[in-house]
Amino acid sequence: MEPKKKLGYPLSIPLGMVLAASAGYMDAYSYLARDKVFANAQTGNIMLLGISLAEGRWDQVLHYACPVAAFGTGILLAYFLTQLVWRDGHGQGTCMILALEIAGLFAVPWIGPNLYANALISLVCGMQLQAFSTVGGNGAATTMCIGNYRLALQWATNGLQTQNAAAKQKAAVHGGIILFFVLGAVGASRVIDAAGKWAIWGSCVLLLLAVGMKRLSLKRSATPNAPSEIG
């Protein structure tokens, strides 16, 4: 039986874009600076795991299996925290999940073996996927592009056929997530050239920005007639 509770915390559109940029940054970092493993794109890791199994390269099997397992662990951890510990997704819960992500990523540069560093990054990515399920009222994942790509095309086509403004807005949201994911990856590739393994702290900066946006939104929502869409 499926859980009856609504899973994950909602994000405003600006906050969702910042988290998408952070996710793209993490994926680029794990691939470029940590031995070509995907932090978010577990389909790619699972495919490479299968190839390694077929070729009998057992060291590579562990190389790709570890981030897949860590990603799943992050999903389970975030499920537990959002459903049983921090149920207030509009306040403490959102900020605490982001704080845990920051703490995990902050520790990454001190982890020497890429296997363990990638596992920690993937765990953080799994937490983000599970903890944040909507962007601007639209069901969306900030950690990957394929679902957003499909939905962007679907809603864009619907919007053009029907001239429905809401459909066009949904297409823009999903397309925006992809754009910011790419921008995050571009940023990571540039920072890695200068900072090497320490470049992951760029994602910490983006997540700190997200926390600040959420805190500002909470303050605004406590003030009558003040806009709160920023978080």
Side-chain angles (χ1 to χ4, degrees):
M1 182 180 296
E2 295 184 358
K4 294 182 179 180
K5 294 179 181 179
K6 185 176 182 180
L7 303 181
Y9 301 145
L11 298 171
S12 68
I13 292 174
L15 189 53
M17 299 305 147
V18 173
L19 291 191
S22 178
Y25 194 107
M26 285 186 271
D27 227 8
Y29 173 86
S30 66
Y31 187 83
L32 295 174
R34 292 288 187 168
D35 205 15
K36 296 189 177 356
V37 168
F38 298 108
N40 282 305
Q42 299 307 319
T43 300
N45 288 333
I46 292 171
M47 178 270 295
L48 293 169
L49 170 63
I51 293 174
S52 299
L53 282 170
E55 296 177 348
R57 294 184 295 147
W58 306 114
D59 59 328
Q60 290 298 100
V61 170
L62 182 62
H63 183 69
Y64 294 113
C66 194
V68 172
F71 190 85
T73 302
I75 290 173
L76 294 175
L77 177 60
Y79 176 83
F80 172 78
L81 292 174
T82 57
Q83 297 299 302
L84 299 177
V85 182
W86 300 314
R87 298 182 182 181
D88 178 15
H90 292 283
Q92 181 191 37
T94 297
C95 292
M96 292 305 295
I97 289 291
L98 293 174
L100 286 176
E101 290 189 41
I102 293 167
L105 296 178
F106 187 82
V108 166
W110 282 287
I111 300 176
N114 290 332
L115 182 69
Y116 304 128
N118 286 326
L120 182 53
I121 299 169
S122 290
L123 184 142
V124 168
C125 293
M127 287 180 61
Q128 183 169 313
L129 173 65
Q130 177 66 28
F132 306 111
S133 56
T134 61
V135 177
N138 303 284
T142 59
T143 58
M144 55 189 68
C145 293
I146 188 66
N148 289 304
Y149 184 44
R150 178 184 69 82
L151 289 168
L153 292 175
Q154 172 185 307
W155 287 115
T157 302
N158 180 272
L160 291 172
Q161 287 178 329
T162 65
Q163 293 303 309
N164 186 307
K168 293 178 181 179
Q169 183 182 32
K170 288 177 181 292
V173 169
H174 292 291
I177 291 172
I178 296 171
L179 173 62
F180 275 82
F181 189 99
V182 172
L183 291 175
V186 170
S189 67
R190 298 300 176 89
V191 178
I192 288 168
D193 290 339
K197 66 181 182 180
W198 303 94
I200 192 61
W201 284 355
S203 191
C204 293
V205 171
L206 290 170
L207 293 172
L208 281 169
L209 173 61
V211 172
M213 291 169 65
K214 187 62 184 179
R215 299 300 300 173
L216 179 59
S217 175
L218 291 171
K219 289 182 179 179
R220 287 184 174 182
S221 63
T223 304
N225 302 321
S228 58
E229 177 62 19
I230 192 171

Coordinates of all heavy atoms in Angstrom, one line a residue, residues 20 59 92 137 139 147 159 162-163 167-168 179 207 218:
A20 N 18.5 23.1 -8.1 CA 18.8 22.5 -9.4 C 20.2 22.8 -9.8 O 21.0 21.9 -10.2 CB 17.8 22.9 -10.5
D59 N 36.5 -4.6 -9.4 CA 36.8 -3.3 -8.7 C 35.9 -2.2 -9.2 O 35.4 -1.4 -8.5 CB 38.3 -2.9 -9.0 CG 38.6 -2.8 -10.4 OD1 38.0 -3.5 -11.3 OD2 39.5 -1.9 -10.8
Q92 N 11.2 24.5 9.7 CA 12.3 23.8 10.2 C 12.8 22.7 9.3 O 14.0 22.5 9.1 CB 12.0 23.3 11.6 CG 13.1 22.5 12.2 CD 12.7 21.8 13.5 OE1 11.6 21.2 13.6 NE2 13.6 21.8 14.5
G137 N 4.6 24.4 -7.1 CA 3.3 23.6 -7.2 C 3.3 22.5 -8.3 O 2.3 21.8 -8.4
G139 N 5.0 19.0 -9.6 CA 5.7 17.8 -9.3 C 7.0 17.8 -10.1 O 7.0 17.7 -11.3
G147 N 13.1 13.5 -16.3 CA 11.7 13.7 -16.0 C 11.3 15.1 -16.4 O 10.2 15.3 -16.9
G159 N 0.5 23.5 -24.1 CA 0.3 25.0 -24.1 C 0.2 25.6 -25.5 O -0.7 26.5 -25.7
T162 N -3.4 24.4 -26.9 CA -4.6 25.0 -26.3 C -4.5 26.4 -25.9 O -5.4 27.0 -25.5 CB -4.9 24.2 -25.0 OG1 -3.8 24.4 -24.0 CG2 -5.0 22.7 -25.3
Q163 N -3.2 27.0 -26.0 CA -3.0 28.4 -25.6 C -3.3 28.5 -24.1 O -3.8 29.6 -23.7 CB -3.8 29.4 -26.5 CG -3.3 29.4 -27.9 CD -1.8 29.8 -28.0 OE1 -1.3 30.8 -27.4 NE2 -1.1 29.0 -28.8
A167 N -0.3 25.8 -18.6 CA 0.5 24.7 -19.2 C 1.9 25.3 -19.6 O 2.9 24.7 -19.4 CB -0.2 24.1 -20.4
K168 N 1.9 26.5 -20.2 CA 3.1 27.2 -20.6 C 4.0 27.5 -19.4 O 5.2 27.3 -19.5 CB 2.8 28.4 -21.4 CG 2.1 28.2 -22.7 CD 1.8 29.5 -23.4 CE 1.1 29.3 -24.7 NZ 0.8 30.6 -25.4
L179 N 17.8 24.1 -17.2 CA 18.7 25.2 -17.5 C 19.6 25.5 -16.3 O 20.9 25.6 -16.4 CB 18.0 26.5 -17.8 CG 18.8 27.8 -17.9 CD1 19.8 27.6 -19.1 CD2 17.9 29.0 -18.2
L207 N 23.7 26.0 -1.5 CA 22.8 25.5 -0.5 C 22.6 26.5 0.7 O 21.5 26.7 1.2 CB 23.2 24.1 0.0 CG 23.2 23.0 -1.0 CD1 23.8 21.7 -0.4 CD2 21.7 22.7 -1.4
L218 N 10.3 32.9 5.3 CA 9.6 32.6 6.5 C 9.3 33.9 7.3 O 8.3 34.1 7.8 CB 10.4 31.7 7.4 CG 10.5 30.2 6.9 CD1 11.5 29.4 7.8 CD2 9.1 29.6 7.0

